Amino acid sequence: MERIPILKMGQFLLVTIQVDLYDRLALDLEADLVGQITQLNARGVLIDISAVSIVDSFMGRILSNIASMARILDAVTVVVGMQPAVAITLVELGLSLTGVYTALNVEKGLDLLRIKTGAAQAVSTDADSSDD
Amino acid sequence: MPIPATIEVLTSETFAILEGSHVIQLTGQIRQQASQMGMSLLDQTKLSTAASELARNILVHGGEGKAQLECIRSNSKIGIRLLFSDRGPGIANVEQAMQPGFSTGIGMGLGLSGAKQLADEFHLTSVVGEGTTVTILKWVND
Amino acid sequence: MNDSTVGTLRPKKNQILTLWMRNQLADGSLRDDLMSNDDLRAQSVELLDCLFDTLTDDTLTMPDAPSLSPLIDQLTNISMSRARQGFTPRETGLYVFSLKDALLEMLRHERKDDPNLLLTETMRISKFIDSLGIVTFESFIQGREEVILRQTDEMTEIATPVVQIWDGILAMPLIGTLDSSRALVVMENLLQEIVRTGSGIAILDISGVPTVDSMVAQHLIKTVNATRLMGAECIISGIRAEIAQTIVHLGIDLSHVVTKATMASALKHAFGTLRIEVNKSAARSV
């Protein structure tokens, strides 16, 4: 049975979507990711969509859902590599993927995940320094 | 739907829309055709995304239907016209269905309004109890 | 008496030139700011030489004849260069039509004893110069169109430059009115450069955009949203006071957009986001 592979990198899960997702594949991915977050106690999810040529409202909903579900499980979701044409089309469509963090590429996405998951620590040091 | 006299259909192909994987096949065909006709990457993406929305609408509301992919010419312009038709329940209040965010299904309610936004021309006819036909058109910019 | 029209006029070339120059110089619209009288004279001599080298009695009634092509080419060049230099159509037209006056004046003098022949020849010359006049206007317009095309090309080239002003920071200064098609080009260019350079921040400077109506604002908001979807931040800078007023009066919501009054403050904001500190070198030399 065809499935999107999920890679584990330390505390983070990495998914690269290489094909246009049809319904079952997308719903399976959603279920698999949420399962893996709880099983592996992952802190972050990185979804690379640089090879995806169409993001319609169905696909947008899947991405938003994954982010919302991950947040409930205390994990951060970052979507990386959206193509310019896809971004413009999503904006024209009226879709803004609220609640989903974005980054330009995998490298910057991992940086963002580290910042967001270490956020509690960083905020407290920032607050300390501003109190002085 | 009456075909305006000025539009000449060059090629026409029909695809059945019965399940999710058909949507992917259709958008792949559209993209290939659009790229052959010299459509810009952005317009290819807009057209196939609009097609994806409308084809999924068929699955959600009509259950099953078909999509017709046509290459057309009007004067010196060429373009792609897509006709989506289903034998579903039809739309009672077209004006309401066209509102962004209006949804009776599980989607985000952006299907019809989104497709209209992404296409150059948009036409919808619906008869309650008989089904719905949506036509969209995108010209290839010279 | 010489029966040939051209044959009669050819020996009088110098007198015709004098008459033609006098006509041209007497005209109130003479543009001695664009072309010196010496240059004008040289140009007129050359054209007149060419006229009498190529013209025969037969071709006088056939302005399309291949043997006249050197004359037509020369005239085309003259009026195209005049179009580029900024002469008006009237000034360019008068250059050719004042030659008609000179030729007819000379002919009247030579044919004073034969009014019938004078009338026939006058008609022929008049018609011939008229057709030269049409050539002049056609090539004048062609010259103008070339100028316009070149300017359009130059404008679209300079219209949407994206510059990398820092590692990870792009700037796009917009100049001129934004319509829908240009806004789309702006958005595509910016997003493509963001991907190509891997820049996390883009500054869209609208100092040079004369008016921001709700359509322009919609395009700006769309650009900001698309940038965000790709994982970069877009700052709008260069918002003048009156534009800020317009935006609020139009009820446009820019609360989700980072806006700065100047490019400098946008850059400062970008430095803050990227955690970049810029110090004067004196501070470092301790």
Side-chain angles (χ1 to χ4, degrees):
Chain A
M1 198 161 124
E2 196 186 1
R3 279 196 126 80
I4 308 278
I6 301 172
L7 305 177
K8 184 176 180 297
M9 277 182 71
Q11 289 188 299
F12 304 141
L13 298 178
L14 189 74
V15 180
T16 303
I17 302 178
Q18 301 272 17
V19 292
D20 287 322
L21 294 182
Y22 55 90
D23 309 45
R24 192 186 48 74
L25 204 56
L27 295 170
D28 282 352
L29 175 67
E30 185 182 290
D32 287 354
L33 263 177
V34 177
Q36 296 268 300
I37 293 171
T38 40
Q39 210 176 332
L40 302 168
N41 196 23
R43 301 293 319 280
V45 177
L46 189 139
I47 305 174
D48 178 11
I49 60 163
S50 55
V52 173
S53 56
I54 295 176
V55 176
D56 60 1
S57 55
F58 168 77
M59 177 85 169
R61 191 169 55 88
I62 296 283
L63 292 174
S64 287
N65 283 358
I66 290 174
S68 304
M69 292 168 188
R71 193 165 45 245
I72 296 173
L73 300 167
D74 195 26
V76 177
T77 306
V78 175
V79 171
V80 306
M82 187 184 290
Q83 293 298 321
V86 174
I88 295 173
T89 303
L90 273 185
V91 169
E92 298 272 353
L93 201 57
L95 216 62
S96 56
L97 297 188
T98 36
V100 180
Y101 290 107
T102 52
L104 281 179
N105 49 44
V106 174
E107 197 185 343
K108 286 179 194 289
L110 285 173
D111 286 347
L112 185 62
L113 272 184
R114 285 190 198 102
I115 293 169
K116 292 294 173 192
T117 52
Q121 218 179 339
V123 165
S124 63
T125 41
D126 277 0
D128 285 348
S129 58
S130 60
D131 281 346
D132 292 347
Chain B
M1 191 200 306
I3 296 168
T6 49
I7 287 183
E8 181 191 348
V9 178
L10 302 173
T11 63
S12 176
E13 214 176 330
T14 305
F15 300 84
I17 308 289
L18 308 174
E19 54 168 79
S21 62
H22 291 160
V23 178
I24 308 288
Q25 282 164 19
L26 174 70
T27 53
Q29 284 292 321
I30 292 170
R31 193 173 273 274
Q32 199 182 335
Q33 187 67 57
S35 141
Q36 269 174 20
M37 290 169 81
M39 200 180 275
S40 74
L41 181 64
L42 178 59
D43 282 346
Q44 286 177 35
T45 309
K46 285 183 177 178
L47 181 65
S48 37
T49 308
S52 186
E53 295 292 341
L54 295 173
R56 278 192 204 284
N57 256 0
I58 289 182
L59 294 177
V60 173
H61 302 291
E64 54 187 60
K66 61 183 168 60
Q68 203 170 322
L69 162 59
E70 294 178 339
C71 301
I72 54 165
R73 181 165 59 198
S74 175
N75 300 327
S76 60
K77 292 191 292 187
I78 53 168
I80 289 182
R81 184 166 63 180
L82 301 165
L83 297 96
F84 295 86
S85 47
D86 65 43
R87 297 195 168 280
I91 300 168
N93 188 341
V94 171
E95 208 172 300
Q96 187 187 30
M98 288 303 300
Q99 294 294 318
F102 175 80
S103 177
T104 55
I106 53 161
M108 291 179 123
L110 294 168
L112 288 179
S113 64
K116 185 177 184 183
Q117 199 68 35
L118 293 172
D120 291 339
E121 284 169 37
F122 179 96
H123 191 83
L124 184 145
T125 47
S126 188
V127 178
V128 173
E130 287 182 26
T132 305
T133 302
V134 180
T135 308
I136 57 170
L137 199 160
K138 193 114 192 136
W139 298 111
V140 177
N141 286 343
D142 39 359
Chain C
M1 201 168 90
N2 195 335
D3 277 349
S4 159
T5 315
V6 179
T8 308
L9 290 173
R10 189 176 284 120
K12 308 285 179 189
K13 193 166 80 183
N14 288 334
Q15 281 158 276
I16 292 170
L17 177 68
T18 314
L19 283 171
W20 188 20
M21 286 310 295
R22 196 196 61 200
N23 288 347
Q24 290 189 65
L25 296 175
D27 194 277
S29 62
L30 181 76
R31 297 298 299 267
D32 42 13
D33 55 331
L34 293 174
M35 186 183 261
S36 74
N37 288 351
D38 289 346
D39 286 347
L40 182 64
R41 192 185 174 85
Q43 197 180 63
S44 305
V45 169
E46 211 180 319
L47 189 71
L48 210 54
D49 283 345
C50 189
L51 178 76
F52 282 115
D53 284 351
T54 52
L55 193 62
T56 64
D57 276 3
D58 289 337
T59 50
L60 190 60
T61 52
M62 296 186 295
D64 295 333
S67 63
L68 285 180
S69 60
L71 176 68
I72 302 293
D73 287 350
Q74 200 177 339
L75 196 60
T76 304
N77 286 338
I78 289 173
S79 68
M80 278 177 82
S81 75
R82 284 181 168 227
R84 282 191 289 267
Q85 283 169 315
F87 282 85
T88 65
R90 165 186 284 266
E91 288 151 8
T92 311
L94 279 174
Y95 173 69
V96 176
F97 291 127
S98 58
L99 172 62
K100 181 172 19 179
D101 293 345
L103 288 172
L104 294 183
E105 206 173 326
M106 184 51 62
L107 200 63
R108 195 179 60 183
H109 181 72
E110 293 297 311
R111 294 281 191 250
K112 54 179 180 281
D113 302 330
D114 192 345
N116 279 336
L117 185 60
L118 175 63
L119 182 64
T120 319
E121 291 183 325
T122 303
M123 297 277 281
R124 279 192 197 145
I125 288 184
S126 183
K127 249 185 136 167
F128 179 74
I129 299 289
D130 285 351
S131 70
L132 290 190
I134 290 169
V135 169
T136 309
F137 283 122
E138 278 173 350
S139 41
F140 183 84
I141 288 167
Q142 200 187 336
R144 273 291 172 88
E145 274 167 0
E146 279 172 17
V147 171
I148 293 168
L149 270 179
R150 201 190 61 234
Q151 285 172 342
T152 313
D153 282 353
E154 282 169 0
M155 263 166 62
T156 39
E157 260 173 46
I158 60 163
T160 59
V162 185
V163 286
Q164 185 158 20
I165 52 172
W166 203 274
D167 191 24
I169 305 175
L170 293 181
M172 191 176 204
L174 293 179
I175 292 159
T177 309
L178 274 184
D179 57 10
S180 278
S181 63
R182 202 179 149 214
L184 203 60
V185 173
V186 163
M187 181 155 43
E188 274 190 88
N189 277 2
L190 188 66
L191 300 194
Q192 257 148 26
E193 281 303 296
I194 286 174
V195 173
R196 198 182 63 77
T197 58
S199 300
I201 294 183
I203 301 171
L204 205 55
D205 189 272
I206 58 166
S207 313
V209 179
T211 51
V212 174
D213 54 14
S214 45
M215 199 224 36
V216 172
Q218 281 311 317
H219 285 302
L220 292 177
I221 293 171
K222 278 183 185 173
T223 308
V224 171
N225 287 341
T227 318
R228 190 175 295 152
L229 281 173
M230 285 172 51
E233 188 187 356
C234 184
I235 306 167
I236 311 267
S237 78
I239 300 179
R240 299 191 304 275
E242 64 268 29
I243 289 198
Q245 283 176 297
T246 319
I247 287 172
V248 173
H249 285 156
L250 286 173
I252 299 161
D253 181 18
L254 285 183
S255 58
H256 300 290
V257 179
V258 181
T259 49
K260 297 286 171 192
T262 63
M263 171 86 100
S265 46
L267 187 60
K268 205 171 165 189
H269 173 92
F271 283 159
T273 310
L274 296 176
R275 294 157 197 257
I276 292 169
E277 274 185 38
V278 182
N279 295 316
K280 280 186 183 165
S281 55
R284 212 177 43 186
S285 67
V286 180

